[in-house]
Amino acid sequence: LFVGEKLMIYRILADGVSIFDYDYPDMVLLDPSLETEVNVSGSLDFTMPVSHVFYNSIMMLNTDIDVYEGDKLIWFGRPIEIKTDFYRQKHVHCEGALAFLNDSVQDFHEYTSISIHEFFRTVIANHNSQVDANRQFTVGDITVPDKTVYRKLHYEQTKDVIDRQCIKACGGYLFVRKEDGVNYIDWLSELPYTCNQPIEFGLNLLDIGSSIGGTEIATCVLPVGDEDETTKVPLTVETVNNGSKIIESEAAKTYGKITKAVTFDGVSKPETLLEDGQEYLENLQFDKIAIECDASELHFLHGEYEQFMVGQMIHCVSNPHLVDRELPLMKISYSLDTGTKQITLGTMPTQELTEIVAEKTDAEAQEAVDEVEDAIDD
């Protein structure tokens, strides 16, 4: 797998022919980088020297580009921009297969009552009728709960229709795959993959950062339950926590005591409140975290580990950073010539309906929620 100091685990193919190989001086690509992300088409960038044997073979929009990690196809797409610099080097930017859905327009049509699964299939069929075979999709797995909906199409790009009237309205994740030359598109309710390779401090974690600031992370928690009907005093845990209302984590020894009060509605037993507080301290406070880290890919050094890919649940362990839990792998940035990956784990920030109407009165809030939901459904 090694060529000099390069780890040759990645291949880039153009119309089925390899264009990236350090074994041959006339097949070297400069700074090849790939980004893959859940529900996003992703992108591939590379620079092609004038000496490259396939210098004149990359055709904008037309060439099929495939990227392999070992024997696994991890991304496919097409070139959408080719720039030539002073030294006649070609800088090629490619977009992923989900962007094929931008090549078609949905006709004006109103569906007063249609299954959301059938709507998705209909939109894909409309797309397929307008594009070449290599830009079409076969609908694969749909695991998002089915329901009857009202939908209206307004001469929009197919990708916009699916984003707005399927993903934003009903949730889930889009995944594209290529099998035996056929492009499949899946609409899944949950992330589909597991992975036995952790991201662990001292093992393969090279660098880490978090989108949650220090003021939002607690090393101690004061859990609060329901009020006592007689005393009107909220329930706390001192009777089952050695006389203390505060639960302290091991991280407090490193970062000091940072205490946060958290209310658990509907909890009236101190034992339950203690368990809820401990779970919050260990896991729940990280539910909206987005962790970015650089990690070495161990699969090609230790075959027992599975490869990282978007859509997996990853066990991330870094005691110095207060992290020890399963997190979804939402994005990977690959450096194809060095074999390193920058990985984004965690929940991507989204705007909830309650945030949109947070400063309105109750009546105004309900009206605004109804308007937003109607806009999504329409």
Side-chain angles (χ1 to χ4, degrees):
L1 293 176
F2 288 90
V3 180
E5 295 182 353
K6 301 292 185 180
L7 182 60
M8 286 304 299
I9 59 177
Y10 295 102
R11 292 182 294 143
I12 301 175
L13 275 59
D15 289 333
V17 178
S18 177
I19 62 171
F20 177 47
D21 195 331
Y22 282 110
D23 273 340
Y24 303 96
D26 58 358
M27 291 181 63
V28 171
L29 297 178
L30 307 178
D31 301 322
S33 61
L34 172 68
E35 289 202 354
T36 63
E37 186 173 355
V38 173
N39 284 348
V40 175
S41 61
S43 62
L44 171 70
D45 291 275
F46 58 84
T47 298
M48 181 175 282
V50 69
S51 59
H52 198 287
V53 65
F54 295 111
Y55 181 81
N56 294 314
S57 299
I58 306 298
M59 305 298 294
M60 191 167 66
L61 294 176
N62 191 44
T63 302
D64 290 330
I65 303 292
D66 299 315
V67 180
Y68 284 83
E69 184 178 52
D71 296 326
K72 183 188 291 291
L73 178 67
I74 59 173
W75 183 91
F76 61 101
R78 63 185 176 187
I80 59 168
E81 186 177 80
I82 301 176
K83 294 182 178 180
T84 304
D85 66 18
F86 180 81
Y87 300 100
R88 297 179 56 213
Q89 297 180 126
K90 288 185 177 179
H91 303 275
V92 181
H93 176 69
C94 306
E95 64 181 2
L98 268 181
F100 298 167
L101 297 173
N102 288 318
D103 294 354
S104 61
V105 175
Q106 297 294 309
D107 202 355
F108 182 87
H109 195 86
E110 184 176 16
Y111 299 92
T112 57
S113 179
I114 187 173
S115 154
I116 190 63
H117 287 191
E118 186 60 28
F119 177 77
F120 182 76
R121 291 190 179 94
T122 299
V123 169
I124 295 299
N126 292 342
H127 163 80
N128 290 342
S129 69
Q130 300 176 42
V131 300
D132 295 332
N134 62 339
R135 303 295 182 245
Q136 296 177 5
F137 289 99
T138 296
V139 176
D141 300 324
I142 303 179
T143 61
V144 172
D146 201 6
K147 62 180 180 179
T148 301
V149 297
Y150 167 85
R151 290 292 183 267
K152 195 172 186 178
L153 300 176
H154 299 273
Y155 297 114
E156 297 173 82
Q157 303 303 128
T158 298
K159 183 64 165 60
D160 293 337
V161 170
I162 291 178
D163 284 346
R164 184 169 60 87
Q165 301 202 42
C166 293
I167 303 303
K168 289 183 180 179
C170 300
Y173 306 94
L174 290 177
F175 285 88
V176 294
R177 50 191 168 91
K178 186 188 292 188
E179 297 179 5
D180 298 324
V182 177
N183 301 335
Y184 290 90
I185 184 166
D186 302 321
W187 184 16
L188 308 178
S189 60
E190 303 290 340
L191 295 178
Y193 308 119
T194 58
C195 184
N196 66 354
Q197 181 178 181
I199 292 178
E200 187 171 338
F201 185 80
L203 177 65
N204 59 348
L205 179 61
L206 306 178
D207 191 16
I208 188 170
S210 167
S211 66
I212 288 189
T215 58
E216 298 181 59
I217 294 178
T219 60
C220 304
V221 64
L222 195 163
V224 180
D226 289 344
E227 288 186 359
D228 183 274
E229 294 182 357
T230 303
T231 65
K232 303 301 180 182
V233 176
L235 177 70
T236 51
V237 297
E238 67 270 20
T239 59
V240 291
N241 191 45
N242 298 320
S244 176
K245 297 180 180 180
I246 296 173
I247 305 171
E248 184 176 326
S249 72
E250 287 296 315
K253 298 176 182 178
T254 302
Y255 293 95
K257 295 182 179 181
I258 305 169
T259 304
K260 182 177 181 180
V262 181
T263 299
F264 297 91
D265 293 328
V267 178
S268 57
K269 294 182 178 180
E271 294 83 3
T272 303
L273 186 62
L274 179 65
E275 292 176 2
D276 289 344
Q278 290 170 336
E279 182 182 6
Y280 177 87
L281 202 54
E282 295 173 3
N283 291 311
L284 296 183
Q285 68 171 320
F286 297 108
D287 272 354
K288 293 187 181 297
I289 197 171
I291 295 173
E292 292 187 355
C293 56
D294 292 331
S296 297
E297 174 60 76
L298 298 180
H299 170 76
F300 296 96
L301 300 177
H302 304 284
E304 67 271 19
Y305 288 121
E306 298 168 326
Q307 296 162 247
F308 290 132
M309 59 187 297
V310 293
Q312 293 172 329
M313 294 299 295
I314 304 295
H315 188 200
C316 184
V317 183
S318 181
N319 292 330
H321 301 94
L322 307 180
V323 178
D324 183 357
R325 66 167 302 180
E326 297 278 330
L327 291 168
L329 202 168
M330 304 299 290
K331 180 179 179 180
I332 303 179
S333 299
Y334 301 78
S335 178
L336 301 185
D337 56 353
T338 65
T340 58
K341 300 179 179 181
Q342 184 178 71
I343 291 172
T344 301
L345 300 164
T347 305
M348 297 297 100
T350 57
Q351 189 176 30
E352 306 290 344
L353 291 180
T354 52
E355 295 173 356
I356 296 174
V357 299
E359 297 184 1
K360 296 180 179 290
T361 66
D362 289 346
E364 291 173 331
Q366 186 57 53
E367 181 179 355
V369 169
D370 292 340
E371 289 177 357
V372 173
E373 290 177 340
D374 288 342
I376 291 174
D377 287 341
D378 289 343

